[in-house]
Amino acid sequence: MPIIAEIESYKDDLIHWRRDIHAHPELAYEEERTSRLVSELLADWGIKVDRGLGKTGVVGTLSAGTGPSIALRADMDALPMEEANTFDYKSRHVGRMHACGHDGHTAMLLGAARYLAEHGSFTGTVHFVFQPAEEAAGGAKRMLDEGLFSRFPVDAIFGMHNWPGLEAGSFATRPGSLMASLDCFDICITGKGTHGATPQRGVDPIVISSQIIGALQTVVSRNIDPNQSAVISVTKMHAGDAYNVIPPQAYLAGGIRCFNPDIRSFLCRRITEVVEGICSAYGASVEINFLTQAPAVINAPESTALACSVAAELVGKNNIDADITPVMVSEDFSYMLEEKPGCFMFIGNGLGEGGCSIHNPHYDFNDNVLTLGSSYWACLVEEFLRDPVVG
Ligand code: NI
């Protein structure tokens, strides 16, 4: 099965939408222009449009007779970073950039929606879910809390993310755990400030912080089964303003990632014990807060098998890795997979040009995979609604 011919025939439109969205990046819950563009295009093709779920989210619904229902999800938000690219469709907004390819995800889903509305052969319902605020702002959870699946009941949901480093024209995923959970932590240590020359009169939160950072490295290496995967990274430390002052407070923050829910709760508990124990030993007080970002992305086996067979039809069996090594990056599509079976798929963004890593100021989505992504979505819908697999 090659790229769908009708989709190939409007490849230029796909590129145009993608670059237009790229030039006008919008941050979490501010995707007004993008959601308007999406809504207008969906409506043009006769697709029913519901707006405002998750503030700027859009759900398009296309029905043909009575049958099962499937949802496809794309994310729309950009990142708060400065673009370093110089091409003519580079970001027109200072400090905002589509550095994760959500511009491409939105365009690929639009391409599939147009094909299914104009030429689709299926019985049942497809919901096109355009989600806001994927980047650490809880967009998926908010859409669910506001009734995504009660208003738009589905039998399964599928998502897709471009993957730099994976060859263009290939796909990768796996059944079970694909992406890690992420919980962030903030640790505020309060000691007692004093002159740098008289440490005996204070409680030094900088020395305590350094003990904590070292000790946290033992939580994964000494408390977790070596056959399991987890990572704790301290990514922020702030304290002090002067050469000769021991400050009263120090602040640490970072992230915890793993695949297993039991390990996830254990890690939070163990971090608390270690931090409180060290602070207590040194006579400091401490406040620890955990901020849940996303559970692990766990693909349902049957849905994943279907997604892989559709992808293999498009690109050949040799170009689909159906058992990729799980990645420690997180993704809030996991919340949707907690409620419905489904599969999250990686589409290769290429190794070379346009293949530089996501969240990099030089990143760009690879326009050459737009029609492939749209074709995958369209084939998946036609296949699922012909012969639904749930699980
Ligand atoms: Ni992303």
Side-chain angles (χ1 to χ4, degrees):
M1 186 196 303
I3 302 289
I4 294 172
E6 288 85 351
I7 292 177
E8 191 61 33
S9 76
Y10 52 76
K11 181 179 181 181
D12 289 348
D13 290 341
L14 282 164
I15 294 173
H16 172 76
W17 302 328
R18 206 284 291 181
R19 294 185 176 187
D20 180 57
I21 296 167
H22 189 94
H24 301 92
E26 296 172 302
L27 301 181
Y29 301 119
E30 294 172 1
E31 304 93 338
E32 301 289 348
R33 184 184 185 279
T34 310
S35 63
R36 196 179 333 117
L37 173 81
V38 165
S39 301
E40 286 171 3
L41 286 168
L42 294 176
D44 279 353
W45 305 321
I47 295 172
K48 180 176 167 292
V49 176
D50 285 276
R51 298 186 65 177
L53 199 68
K55 191 172 181 232
T56 42
V58 180
V59 180
T61 300
L62 186 62
S63 284
T66 306
S69 58
I70 181 175
L72 311 178
R73 174 273 208 174
D75 39 16
M76 300 188 291
D77 56 321
L79 283 156
M81 56 189 279
E82 195 64 31
E83 178 155 10
N85 293 313
T86 53
F87 42 62
D88 60 358
Y89 58 92
K90 70 175 188 292
S91 173
R92 295 189 190 168
H93 299 284
V94 176
R96 287 189 240 158
M97 178 188 175
H98 268 294
C100 201
H102 299 186
D103 48 350
H105 303 166
T106 301
M108 289 190 291
L109 190 52
L110 284 170
R114 174 170 171 181
Y115 168 79
L116 289 165
E118 293 176 352
H119 309 283
S121 153
F122 61 89
T123 306
T125 297
V126 50
H127 296 293
F128 305 98
V129 178
F130 294 88
Q131 183 203 305
E134 192 282 323
E135 300 286 358
K141 180 86 168 46
R142 183 159 165 187
M143 287 191 97
L144 292 166
D145 290 346
E146 294 180 15
L148 177 64
F149 290 142
S150 53
R151 287 180 61 187
F152 308 98
V154 299
D155 296 302
I157 184 159
F158 293 81
M160 176 158 55
H161 205 291
N162 77 95
W163 208 247
L166 187 64
E167 230 167 306
S170 60
F171 290 92
T173 187
R174 73 187 303 277
S177 301
L178 176 69
M179 301 176 80
S181 59
L182 172 60
D183 297 279
C184 296
F185 58 83
D186 289 280
I187 299 172
C188 183
I189 301 147
T190 302
K192 187 179 170 201
T194 182
H195 196 292
T198 58
Q200 76 280 11
R201 292 190 187 149
V203 173
D204 187 344
I206 293 181
V207 171
I208 296 169
S209 296
S210 64
Q211 301 283 332
I212 289 173
I213 293 168
L216 288 182
Q217 302 311 309
T218 69
V219 173
V220 171
S221 69
R222 301 295 87 184
N223 299 135
I224 299 295
D225 179 344
N227 289 307
Q228 299 283 345
S229 300
V231 60
I232 298 172
S233 294
V234 177
T235 54
K236 293 194 219 179
M237 61 182 298
H238 300 302
D241 296 301
Y243 287 113
N244 55 359
V245 176
I246 291 173
Q249 282 191 320
Y251 168 75
L252 300 173
I256 309 159
R257 297 166 189 270
C258 65
F259 298 104
N260 178 312
D262 292 336
I263 291 179
R264 184 182 178 199
S265 50
F266 170 81
L267 290 173
C268 294
R269 203 168 65 241
R270 186 67 191 138
I271 287 172
T272 304
E273 287 169 2
V274 167
V275 170
E276 287 182 348
I278 290 172
C279 287
S280 159
Y282 285 88
S285 61
V286 66
E287 192 180 322
I288 311 171
N289 287 307
F290 292 96
L291 188 66
T292 295
Q293 294 288 331
V297 171
I298 299 176
N299 284 333
E302 301 294 327
S303 311
T304 308
L306 175 75
C308 289
S309 79
V310 167
E313 285 281 307
L314 281 164
V315 296
K317 262 198 157 40
N318 291 340
N319 292 310
I320 162 99
D321 183 349
D323 192 17
I324 190 179
T325 304
V327 296
M328 277 291 171
V329 184
S330 71
E331 157 66 62
D332 77 353
F333 183 67
S334 54
Y335 281 109
M336 297 182 177
L337 288 179
E338 279 191 332
E339 297 198 15
K340 299 288 175 185
C343 174
F344 197 63
M345 178 66 85
F346 295 142
I347 181 170
N349 198 57
L351 305 171
E353 198 181 340
C356 83
S357 75
I358 49 175
H359 295 215
N360 177 291
H362 289 283
Y363 169 85
D364 192 29
F365 185 88
N366 186 345
D367 284 332
N368 290 325
V369 307
L370 285 167
T371 54
L372 176 60
S374 293
S375 297
Y376 163 76
W377 276 144
C379 295
L380 183 66
V381 168
E382 292 187 334
E383 201 56 43
F384 183 89
L385 293 183
R386 183 178 305 124
D387 183 18
V389 291
V390 176

